[in-house]
Structure formats: C-alpha cells, structure tokens
Amino acid sequence: MPNRKLTPQIAARVADLTAMYTEPDACAAYLLCDRHPADRVAYRIISEGTPVDLTFGALKARSERLANGLSKLGYGPGDRIATLMSKGEDYLVTLLAVWRLGAVYVPLFTAFARGAIEMRLEASETRLVVCDAAQRSKLDGLADATLPGLKVGQFGDAGSDLSMQDIEASGDDGFPAYIGGGDGAVIEVYTSGTTGKPKGVVVPLRAWAGFQAYGEFGLGLTQEDMFWNAADPGWAYGLYFGVIASLTNGVTAIMHTEKFTPDGTLAVLRDQGVTNFTAAPTVYRSLKAHGVELGSIRLKNASSAGEPLTPDVNEWAPDTLGVEVHDHFGQTEAGMLVNNHHHPDLKRPIKPGSMGQSLPGWDMTVVDAETYEELGPDQPGLLAARLSESPFAWFSGYRSAPEKNVERLTPCGRWYLTGDLAQYDAEGSFRFSSRDDDVIIMAGYRIGPFDIESVISTHPAVREVAVVAAPDEIRGEVLEAVVVLNAGLTASDELSDEIKQKVRTEYATYAYPRQVHYRSELPKTPSGKIQRFLIREELRKALEVQE
C-alpha cells in the first residue's frame, strides 16, 4: 500500500474536517463566510483600475440581501441557479446568495458558446441564470426555445427578465442562511468533455471537507498568505480551489478580472505581493517563454494542476520564482487526490515527473484495469481510491449519465476509479502515465505520452509538446510528437532529429517519435487541458489524404 502513516496532528485534522462538513446542521454560508472576522479581506479584486477589497462582512451583508430578494421571488432550496458572469464582486455575492438560499449552483464558463451553455442549463433543469451585460446575448431566446420557465437575471444594463440590482435592493438584512447538512447538494458541475459528452456531477456540502484540506495540506495556505488561484471559476479547479478553498480557509485571495497575459500575470504577482500561487502548466510555460526578470517575483508556494507538469518548468522556476512548482492531481468528481504537498508535515523533495502522494483523507493506490486487484510498487495500472479508507470521498454517480457510473465506481463498491493510468514507487510517490484513452500501444509496449513529453519538453527549443498515437501497419501504432517552439525559432529536419535522439537517449530507444510536427499552438479546452484526441484526428486525416 502506497499510503504512509499520518502524524497524529494530521490524522486529527482530517477527522475534524470530516466531522465539521458532515454534521446535520452544517451550513454552507457559515462555513464559507460567516465564521470569519467581518473586517478580514476575503478578496482583492483587480481590474484595470484601483484594486478593490471585499471583506467577509461586506460579502455577508450583500449576499444576505440578494438571497432574501430571490427568496421573495420564489427561489429556494434545491433550485438550480447558474451564473454566466465575469469575475468580480457581483459574481462572488451571487455565489454566496445561492448557497444562503439552499439552492444548487451551476457554473458556466464565460468562454462557452451557446450550445455548451444550453446543454448544461437543460440537463441541470436550471430555473435562473444570472449574467452580466457582456454575456447577455448568449442567452437570448433560450427560454422561448428549449428551456421554458428559465429566467435571466442581469447585473448592469437593463434587458433581462430580472434586474439583480433591484432584487438585491428589495432584500432585507439578516436573511437566515439555509442549513442543509453534509449531504445537501451545493453544486452541479459538468465535466470538461475531454473524453466524451460532459456529465453532470452533483457535489454535496461534505465534499468541501476535502477542498478545505487541499488548501491546508496541498497548497499550504496560512492566514498570512496573499493567495491567487489563476484558474477560472467556471471550471472545477477554479471553483473548488480558487473560491471554496480560499473562503473556507479564510485567507485573502486575488481575483483578477482581466484575460491572461504574461505581463498582466507578472504585474499582479509583483505588485500585490502574492505569496501563494497556483495555475495550469500552460501559465508557467507561458511565463517561462515570455521571460521573467530575476528577483522580481518571490513566492512562498507555487502549485500546478489540470495537466501533468513537465520537468522543464522546475528547471526554470527556482531561480525565477524563488520556489519549485508542486504538481497536483485531481478530478471534477473527487477534488484533489494526489499532491506534492506544501504543508510542512507532509512536504517531501520534488521528484521530477511525480505528482506526489495521497492527500490525507484519501487512500490512493493502483489497481489492475481488468480485475481491480491492487498492484504493487512500479506496476502500472488504474489510479484508484480505496473508498473504505477515504473519508473525503463523496461521488455517488452522474446525474445526467448514470450508465457512465461504472467508469468511476466499481460494482464491488471497493474502488473509485480515476480512469487515469499511473504507478507508484516504494516511497508512495505517484507518477502519472496517461488518461486511459491516451495510452499508446506500440509493438506490444504500453507507453504513456506524458513520459515522452517530459523528455521532449526539456529541449531548449521546445515551448509545449503533445505526444499521440498514429496508425502503423507493422507496429499497430507509433508515436508522433506535435511541438510548439519558443519564439524566434524555426522548425527543421535537424531539430526533429535532435528531439528524436533526445528521447532515444533519455527514455528508451524504441519510444522515440517517428515524426515531429510543428504548430503555432496546441488545441486546448478552455481550462487549459491539451486535447490530444483532436491532434490524433488531425494527423489521421492528414494520413488519409496522403494515401
């Protein structure tokens, strides 16, 4: 078993968090906001103008009035309420108001096109969607077409069914927060669809025990931190660990409302004195390619999630950011599971390519994909959680696709399956191999693309890389690499040969890419995950044209 024995202090904290979030009188608004000092800054909101500080007291007062106003209109416990809003104070107030009502929050990413929005609203049976003026046009006519009964509330200019400013103004102070207990639903979020149609995941309040624990153990949050999770809250990582984890831990967090640019990110890190930063690997690679003045950024903790972190980032980060970047692994259906933890009682030296150890509260291991029998060290298989020993486990099935439940929960009831391939070493450190559908089988060898990408990413010419399978008459499949070069560099046969030889020398002679393709960018989901299936389709279509 890869899990190490926890210290008495960590074990006691896991038990305390589990009890706190599973109590029958557990209250979302209290756990997020009302228990914290009213004068403490919950969020520093940064846009083009002067930063605005939002205290826990102001967040409580505004969200109480908005919740009361919505209650007067008939919204209440169990109702699905969505937001399609830019980041900012109105977004945070709406979120807290939804949970004060006992309603279930449905996140919508602002980069979604109309089809993705409509699918989520229809599947969740959302009654109200709150937007701002910039997003209003995406919702035009939805209620008249496929979603009768849906109402649109808007902050900003008029033109919607409901004015959110008027609703808030109509509300009374001191609206009592709904008490739904640990099993009460608080979120209905949809998976990113990287491996199929997005599926609805209903998150109960007790799941937040693991979210707060990740903030404490994984991110190492303390009351002295200025915390910034750069992920968008329209996706699970940004919502779970940029909003919920920061609020439950009571820290001051940054909410940056502008689109990502390297210059803008560096300015926030520098000017706001950010001490604890987490972002997708894409962000770190963009900063690396852009260039960072040595000594201008000095973080206490830096973390990465969403995609495996390739070793090139930590060849660069210590001198430039002042710290190594800790790779973390989690899922929409579970929260964070495996981390290179920052908490001093859990911290270990970083192993290149390792995503770390089990988050306390989760018992992670590797099982055989066919028999579900547990495997030992250095044996690749499916990354899984032993449910009987995982007090933070909460997933019970997909709302919109129950036929897919077997992809996550084994019929025997023993395991939660991540669907990702991994292995662990004798010290309990896990190494990600691939998502199950990304694995490459070449001449009998099972090859995880991340291992090859980790080697190629350290070539000085390479900014980003994705390794995929291409059909081959003799071997069944062969590896091909799609590379994005650093600015100012040009693709050449000589460079391709260097990349191939690097893999032969540093990984295995049989596992080098037979072809290296060059692109200006890699296709990604809005949350930054590389869409390897699109690359595979593109390469296969190109091969068909050649034939």
Side-chain angles (χ1 to χ4, degrees):
M1 295 174 62
N3 284 353
R4 60 179 170 174
K5 186 177 181 180
L6 300 178
T7 67
Q9 293 83 1
I10 297 293
R13 187 57 179 156
V14 169
D16 288 345
L17 289 170
T18 301
M20 183 190 310
Y21 285 90
T22 55
E23 290 178 350
D25 61 350
C27 170
Y30 172 79
L31 292 165
L32 287 170
C33 178
D34 301 354
R35 59 175 165 152
H36 302 306
D39 60 352
R40 181 180 295 167
V41 175
Y43 267 92
R44 176 163 295 168
I45 300 167
I46 300 171
S47 55
E48 292 181 347
T50 303
V52 175
D53 285 349
L54 176 66
T55 65
F56 282 102
L59 182 58
K60 179 177 187 290
R62 279 198 64 189
S63 62
E64 284 179 340
R65 290 193 294 271
L66 183 57
N68 183 236
L70 289 169
S71 178
K72 291 176 180 179
L73 294 176
Y75 296 100
D79 287 335
R80 266 56 177 173
I81 298 179
T83 65
L84 185 65
M85 301 175 67
S86 303
K87 292 176 284 187
E89 182 173 334
D90 289 339
Y91 165 77
L92 292 166
V93 168
T94 302
L95 203 55
L96 262 293
V98 168
W99 288 322
R100 287 191 187 281
L101 277 174
V104 179
Y105 174 60
V106 180
L108 298 172
F109 183 41
T110 54
F112 280 155
R114 183 184 174 98
I117 295 168
E118 184 174 358
M119 184 282 293
R120 286 163 172 79
L121 294 177
E122 183 175 17
S124 62
E125 300 177 279
T126 292
R127 286 191 63 199
L128 171 68
V129 56
V130 181
C131 69
D132 48 31
Q135 298 294 323
R136 179 64 184 87
S137 62
K138 295 179 182 178
L139 302 170
D140 286 341
L142 278 182
D144 301 328
T146 58
L147 303 173
L150 176 71
K151 296 292 185 181
V152 176
Q154 182 178 323
F155 284 97
D157 297 334
S160 292
D161 305 316
L162 303 170
S163 165
M164 299 307 293
Q165 288 97 325
D166 290 347
I167 293 172
E168 183 180 343
S170 72
D172 301 325
D173 294 330
F175 180 74
Y178 177 76
I179 297 174
D183 289 328
V186 287
I187 300 169
E188 184 167 337
V189 62
Y190 284 75
T191 60
S192 61
T194 54
T195 59
K197 184 178 179 180
K199 301 177 284 291
V201 177
V202 177
V203 183
L205 181 60
R206 59 187 171 87
W208 292 3
F211 298 0
Q212 181 169 343
Y214 171 65
E216 294 182 19
F217 304 148
L219 298 174
L221 292 175
T222 69
Q223 295 298 304
E224 291 72 39
D225 272 323
M226 178 65 75
F227 172 54
W228 185 18
N229 181 330
D232 193 284
W235 292 103
Y237 189 77
L239 175 61
Y240 292 178
F241 310 114
V243 176
I244 295 170
S246 68
L247 290 175
T248 56
N249 279 280
V251 301
T252 298
I254 295 290
M255 180 165 278
H256 186 218
T257 66
E258 304 301 312
K259 292 183 178 179
F260 168 77
T261 65
D263 283 329
T265 299
L266 291 172
V268 173
L269 291 170
R270 181 186 63 246
D271 298 344
Q272 301 305 320
V274 174
T275 59
N276 196 313
F277 180 60
T278 182
T282 302
V283 171
Y284 291 105
R285 288 193 288 262
S286 295
L287 295 178
K288 175 174 174 280
H290 175 75
V292 180
E293 181 183 352
L294 291 179
S296 62
I297 306 296
R298 277 296 177 264
L299 297 170
K300 183 185 78 175
N301 293 336
S303 308
S304 174
E307 277 278 301
L309 186 72
T310 45
D312 60 301
V313 171
N314 275 333
E315 293 181 358
W316 159 83
D319 289 341
T320 312
L321 303 180
V323 292
E324 290 182 299
V325 181
H326 288 213
D327 196 14
H328 297 166
F329 171 87
Q331 294 190 313
T332 300
E333 299 93 333
M336 301 309 287
L337 298 168
V338 178
N339 310 297
N340 286 290
H341 299 95
H342 286 288
H343 190 286
D345 290 348
L346 299 166
K347 193 172 184 178
R348 291 181 176 181
I350 297 293
K351 296 180 179 181
S354 170
M355 56 189 180
Q357 299 80 42
S358 301
L359 175 71
W362 285 96
D363 185 355
M364 303 304 297
T365 188
V366 171
V367 300
D368 183 270
E370 300 296 330
T371 65
Y372 303 135
E373 291 300 316
E374 187 171 6
L375 300 175
D378 303 316
Q379 297 184 58
L382 279 175
L383 182 64
R386 192 189 320 273
L387 293 173
S388 63
E389 302 297 326
S390 299
F392 289 163
W394 52 267
F395 178 75
S396 60
Y398 295 110
R399 180 187 180 193
S400 57
E403 71 280 1
K404 298 291 187 179
N405 291 348
V406 293
E407 296 179 2
R408 293 289 176 262
L409 301 172
T410 57
C412 64
R414 292 181 64 195
W415 306 108
Y416 169 84
L417 304 174
T418 65
D420 293 310
L421 302 180
Q423 62 189 61
Y424 65 90
D425 63 20
E427 296 179 329
S429 294
F430 288 87
R431 180 180 292 271
F432 179 88
S433 178
S434 72
R435 292 183 173 85
D436 197 20
D437 62 336
D438 284 336
V439 71
I440 301 165
I441 303 175
M442 185 180 73
Y445 293 103
R446 294 175 63 86
I447 303 169
F450 175 63
D451 294 322
I452 314 304
E453 291 167 359
S454 294
V455 173
I456 296 175
S457 70
T458 60
H459 190 288
V462 174
R463 176 175 176 177
E464 286 191 303
V465 58
V467 170
V468 297
D472 182 83
E473 290 184 2
I474 298 174
R475 299 176 182 86
E477 292 181 325
V478 294
L479 281 76
E480 298 195 0
V482 179
V483 168
V484 177
L485 295 176
N486 285 316
L489 299 179
T490 303
S492 66
D493 290 340
E494 291 76 16
L495 178 57
S496 296
D497 289 340
E498 282 183 26
I499 290 171
K500 294 175 184 179
Q501 186 58 35
K502 184 175 177 64
V503 176
R504 288 191 188 100
T505 302
E506 298 181 20
Y507 183 71
T509 55
Y510 63 86
Y512 71 92
R514 267 49 181 185
Q515 289 193 57
V516 179
H517 308 270
Y518 297 92
R519 301 284 187 275
S520 60
E521 59 183 3
L522 299 177
K524 298 185 180 75
T525 67
S527 61
K529 295 180 181 179
I530 296 172
Q531 294 177 305
R532 290 178 182 81
F533 73 96
L534 290 180
I535 298 172
R536 288 195 296 267
E537 290 176 5
E538 178 185 336
L539 294 179
R540 290 183 183 187
K541 287 179 180 178
L543 183 61
E544 290 172 1
V545 170
Q546 293 174 9
E547 294 175 348

